[in-house]
Amino acid sequence: MGQKVHPHGFRLGYIYDWNSKWFADKNYTVLLHEDLSIRRSIKRMLPDAGIAKVEIERNANQITVSIHTARPGIVIGRGGQRVDELRGGLEKVTGRKVRVNINEVRIPELEAALVARAVAEQIERRVSHRRAIKQAGLRAMQRGAQGVRIKISGRLGGSDMSRKDQERQGRVPLHTLKADIDYGTSEAATTLGRIGVKVWIYKGDRIPERRAPARPAAEAAAAAAAEEAPKAAAIASETVVAEQEQAPEIVESEP
């Protein structure tokens, strides 16, 4: 039996950050289900906006929702009408004040969620699944990806039994922690049943930021004094040299 590990969850805290940033001492499950309902509501209200990721931050009485989309014009709407409707809908769901930020995805071919959704839409339009996944892989590699893996499963081509097919280009090192691997899934609703799509995109290695461990206050003060001592000595010596150079020369005259 195969054991699968989510690429994003595997690298959390090392090269990736959390999509929901808040802390709850109590009512954790309530806030967790609230986050899930926020994401479901956004996908339901904006099905054609090409949403790649939704980030949620919580303050005292306000929720900040950051939407990463490939089509910001559709999310904003004419004169900001659609984003106002979205904000009102989210405030009804949560019962709190909601702030919405719109972030544009510059290269949608390198976002795994958008690539998976594009492949699923092509399968729904009865495009050959082999052609759909091959073209998606080629476009990602042309836009700078170092590796792509696309896997689909279901009643492909109208077969009586479910089967799997996949497309691999480049390399996708799933066990390397510093590897920046984007992962996304989608489903194609066809007349013969659901077809699942999974996409892995390798964008290169990302070096994690090394943070120095916190030192006690006394040790930090002593270290700072030790670092400042040579500088103070150097400044003092330079001052003495400068005063000697500026002092007038005394010429002794013979009697």
Side-chain angles (χ1 to χ4, degrees), residues 20-254:
S20 294
K21 301 175 185 177
W22 47 267
F23 173 78
D25 196 7
K26 299 179 181 179
N27 300 326
Y28 173 79
T29 56
V30 175
L31 297 180
L32 176 61
H33 284 282
E34 192 174 277
D35 281 8
L36 295 176
S37 62
I38 287 173
R39 290 188 166 90
R40 283 195 297 265
S41 300
I42 291 174
K43 290 183 179 180
R44 185 183 69 252
M45 299 175 70
L46 303 170
D48 55 346
I51 296 174
K53 182 171 60 174
V54 176
E55 296 179 343
I56 299 174
E57 294 185 21
R58 294 178 182 271
N59 296 326
N61 294 318
Q62 182 178 351
I63 301 175
T64 302
V65 179
S66 300
I67 301 175
H68 298 259
T69 173
R71 303 171 184 171
I74 295 178
V75 179
I76 297 172
R78 182 172 297 177
Q81 178 182 2
R82 199 164 184 184
V83 73
D84 292 338
E85 295 176 356
L86 176 63
R87 186 184 299 110
L90 295 179
E91 288 178 352
K92 288 182 180 179
V93 170
T94 60
R96 296 182 177 87
K97 186 178 179 182
V98 178
R99 179 185 175 190
V100 178
N101 297 329
I102 310 299
N103 300 321
E104 183 182 2
V105 176
R106 298 289 184 180
I107 308 177
E109 291 84 4
L110 295 182
E111 292 293 329
L114 300 181
V115 173
R117 185 63 244 165
V119 171
E121 289 177 353
Q122 292 184 59
I123 294 175
E124 290 176 350
R125 295 197 304 267
R126 298 178 183 273
V127 177
S128 171
H129 62 275
R130 285 297 308 165
R131 179 181 179 186
I133 61 177
K134 194 169 187 64
Q135 288 184 350
L138 285 173
R139 283 195 294 267
M141 295 295 289
Q142 289 173 358
R143 296 308 297 268
Q146 296 189 19
V148 182
R149 178 185 175 190
I150 305 175
K151 188 175 182 179
I152 56 177
S153 61
R155 295 183 62 184
L156 304 177
S159 61
D160 294 336
M161 292 183 64
S162 174
R163 58 191 184 92
K164 299 177 182 179
D165 199 353
Q166 68 176 347
E167 173 71 16
R168 296 178 70 110
Q169 297 186 20
R171 54 187 290 264
V172 183
L174 295 179
H175 287 198
T176 305
L177 279 175
K178 64 181 180 180
D180 185 5
I181 296 178
D182 194 14
Y183 174 72
T185 62
S186 185
E187 290 183 353
T190 65
T191 56
L192 299 174
R194 296 270 179 173
I195 294 178
V197 182
K198 296 180 180 180
V199 177
W200 295 260
I201 297 179
Y202 174 47
K203 303 178 183 178
D205 292 343
R206 184 189 296 184
I207 300 175
E209 296 181 358
R210 297 294 184 183
R211 297 180 180 178
R215 293 187 292 181
E219 184 181 347
E227 292 178 359
E228 292 296 332
K231 297 180 182 179
I235 293 174
S237 62
E238 290 177 358
T239 305
V240 171
V241 172
E243 290 177 353
Q244 292 177 355
E245 291 178 350
Q246 293 177 0
E249 295 181 359
I250 299 176
V251 180
E252 296 182 356
S253 58
E254 297 180 357

